[in-house]
Amino acid sequence: VPRMSVVASYVYKDGKRVREAPLTDEGLRLKPGEYLWIGLYEPTTEEFEGLVRRFRLHPLAVEDALSAHQMPKIEVYGGELFIVARTAQKGDDDRILYGETHVFVGSRFVITIRHGSARAHTQLRAQLEASPLQLKHGADFILHGVLDFIVDGYVPIVDEIEDSVLEMEQRALDSFLSRADLKRLFLLRRELLKFSRVLGPMEEVANKLQSLDLPCIDREVRPYFRDVADHVRRVSSRAAALRDILSSVFEVSNLLEQQRQGVITRKLAAWAAILATPTAVAGIYGMNFEHMPELRWVYGYPVVMGLIITICLG
């Protein structure tokens, strides 16, 4: 293959790597007891065509795998499975960046196709190869490893958002949120809502792999998918809790702002009452009547000023 879309292609037997498998008719020929794990990254249609012919992949699944605009799902095509999982990673501006991993699972092969995901499966492959007793289960255990690897990538996202949310909550209590803080608050709420739309279908996929009698999935491996579903459920509950906290932060900030406005209103009302006294006195003595009491009184001015000051201070 001329391009670097083929990340890894190996043949396994009894839980151990046997040899590298070039994407040729000879390289993909399997002996009894062997199975194949091919990892691709954003392959073109031409590059994928050879695998489609070799493993007779269903055209609808192939179309979905190359389009890379799918929500998490699981589909059965004869004796094979096609699984779509959504990867996620935190961007630099509080946004969550999404990718996709499509997995074809047959009785003797696993084909993983990554789109837009920066996390390669190199570390995952090394971890699985370090456990031959589990890897000897075959393709279904590799599928579990891939899904568990993807779900584990969700946890740092929630951890980082949680730190940001708690920081914003403390800032809202210590002072008033600025316009930039409010924009960030609504951005985080929107990103968590989008994230929840991915977590729900991912949990459904794991539950189906755990509970349904699907081809290529042995009964011994089903409990592993329950663990994946539990991980997704915990991440989903944390995301929902963070959305609630962001809503409460906004409400607290709004209440504090209203409280501050109430204090300012009371101060303005108090000053208005204080200024009403000299205004009233000045208005009375500013009338242009010729005969008014106290106009010719020697002590009238200091008495009136003293009275105004006394009332205002009172």
Side-chain angles (χ1 to χ4, degrees), residues 175-189:
S175 60
F176 300 101
L177 296 180
S178 64
R179 184 177 181 85
D181 291 331
L182 291 176
K183 289 179 64 177
R184 188 184 183 194
L185 185 149
F186 284 106
L187 173 62
L188 289 173
R189 284 183 59 184

Side-chain angles (χ1 to χ4, degrees), residues 46-85:
E46 294 75 13
E47 291 172 336
F48 198 48
E49 188 63 32
L51 293 177
V52 173
R53 292 194 305 267
R54 171 64 179 81
F55 297 105
R56 299 179 181 178
L57 303 179
H58 197 278
L60 293 178
V62 173
E63 181 181 355
D64 289 342
L66 294 176
S67 63
H69 293 289
Q70 305 291 324
M71 289 298 289
K73 64 179 181 179
I74 179 171
E75 295 180 349
V76 180
Y77 295 102
E80 300 174 358
L81 291 178
F82 175 67
I83 297 94
V84 177

Side-chain angles (χ1 to χ4, degrees), residues 5-10 23 36-43 48 51 55 57 65 81-85 100-106 109-115 119-122 124-125 128 139 141-147 149-150:
S5 63
V6 181
V7 179
S9 178
Y10 295 103
L23 301 190
L36 186 67
W37 181 8
I38 301 174
L40 306 177
Y41 180 75
E42 297 183 354
F48 198 48
L51 293 177
F55 297 105
L57 303 179
L81 291 178
F82 175 67
I83 297 94
V84 177
E100 296 181 25
T101 296
H102 301 170
V103 186
F104 291 88
V105 182
F109 69 89
V110 177
I111 303 174
T112 58
I113 304 174
R114 293 188 296 119
H115 293 275
R119 297 179 69 214
H121 294 163
T122 305
L124 169 64
R125 190 182 290 265
L128 294 180
F141 190 79
I142 293 177
L143 173 61
H144 159 262
V146 171
L147 294 181
F149 178 78
I150 292 173

Side-chain angles (χ1 to χ4, degrees), residues 12-297:
Y12 296 85
K13 183 177 181 180
D14 296 328
K16 298 180 180 180
R17 183 196 296 185
V18 177
R19 65 181 183 278
E20 190 173 358
L23 301 190
T24 61
D25 292 339
E26 182 64 26
L28 298 177
R29 187 173 291 113
L30 299 176
K31 299 177 181 179
E34 294 181 341
Y35 66 92
L36 186 67
W37 181 8
I38 301 174
L40 306 177
Y41 180 75
E42 297 183 354
T44 63
T45 304
E46 294 75 13
E47 291 172 336
F48 198 48
E49 188 63 32
L51 293 177
V52 173
R53 292 194 305 267
R54 171 64 179 81
F55 297 105
R56 299 179 181 178
L57 303 179
H58 197 278
L60 293 178
V62 173
E63 181 181 355
D64 289 342
L66 294 176
S67 63
H69 293 289
Q70 305 291 324
M71 289 298 289
K73 64 179 181 179
I74 179 171
E75 295 180 349
V76 180
Y77 295 102
E80 300 174 358
L81 291 178
F82 175 67
I83 297 94
V84 177
R86 294 297 295 270
T87 60
Q89 61 185 14
K90 192 71 162 45
D92 297 331
D93 56 351
D94 290 326
R95 298 183 184 276
I96 301 176
L97 306 178
Y98 296 98
E100 296 181 25
T101 296
H102 301 170
V103 186
F104 291 88
V105 182
S107 59
R108 301 183 65 187
F109 69 89
V110 177
I111 303 174
T112 58
I113 304 174
R114 293 188 296 119
H115 293 275
S117 174
R119 297 179 69 214
H121 294 163
T122 305
Q123 181 181 359
L124 169 64
R125 190 182 290 265
Q127 291 175 350
L128 294 180
E129 291 177 353
S131 303
L133 291 178
Q134 294 178 322
L135 192 59
K136 72 177 183 180
H137 285 292
D140 48 2
F141 190 79
I142 293 177
L143 173 61
H144 159 262
V146 171
L147 294 181
D148 189 59
F149 178 78
I150 292 173
V151 172
D152 285 344
Y154 296 161
V155 177
I157 298 175
V158 180
D159 290 340
E160 189 171 345
I161 293 180
E162 186 177 46
D163 292 339
S164 301
V165 169
L166 295 179
E167 177 186 353
M168 190 173 297
E169 183 183 40
Q170 188 62 44
R171 190 182 304 120
L173 295 175
D174 295 338
S175 60
F176 300 101
L177 296 180
S178 64
R179 184 177 181 85
D181 291 331
L182 291 176
K183 289 179 64 177
R184 188 184 183 194
L185 185 149
F186 284 106
L187 173 62
L188 289 173
R189 284 183 59 184
R190 185 166 59 249
E191 290 301 313
L192 286 172
L193 181 60
K194 293 179 181 178
F195 196 28
S196 297
R197 293 174 182 170
V198 171
L199 294 174
M202 281 293 293
E203 182 179 353
E204 183 179 353
V205 167
N207 286 330
K208 287 182 178 179
L209 290 169
Q210 164 200 336
S211 58
L212 298 182
D213 187 12
L214 298 172
C216 308
I217 305 297
D218 294 336
R219 290 184 178 274
E220 294 81 6
V221 181
R222 284 187 189 178
Y224 291 99
F225 293 106
R226 184 186 305 121
D227 183 63
V228 176
D230 290 340
H231 288 173
V232 178
R233 195 176 300 113
R234 284 197 292 269
V235 173
S236 181
S237 63
R238 290 182 62 187
L242 289 176
R243 291 202 311 272
D244 293 339
I245 293 176
L246 286 172
S247 298
S248 65
V249 168
F250 177 75
E251 292 173 358
V252 167
S253 177
N254 193 28
L255 289 174
L256 292 177
E257 183 66 23
Q258 292 178 0
Q259 183 182 19
R260 184 181 70 167
Q261 291 178 357
V263 172
I264 294 175
T265 302
R266 288 195 297 272
K267 289 181 179 180
L268 292 175
W271 280 108
I274 292 173
L275 294 176
T277 299
T279 301
V281 174
I284 292 173
Y285 284 95
M287 294 186 292
N288 295 322
F289 292 105
E290 183 177 354
H291 302 288
M292 290 181 64
E294 300 96 15
L295 284 179
R296 297 185 181 279
W297 188 26

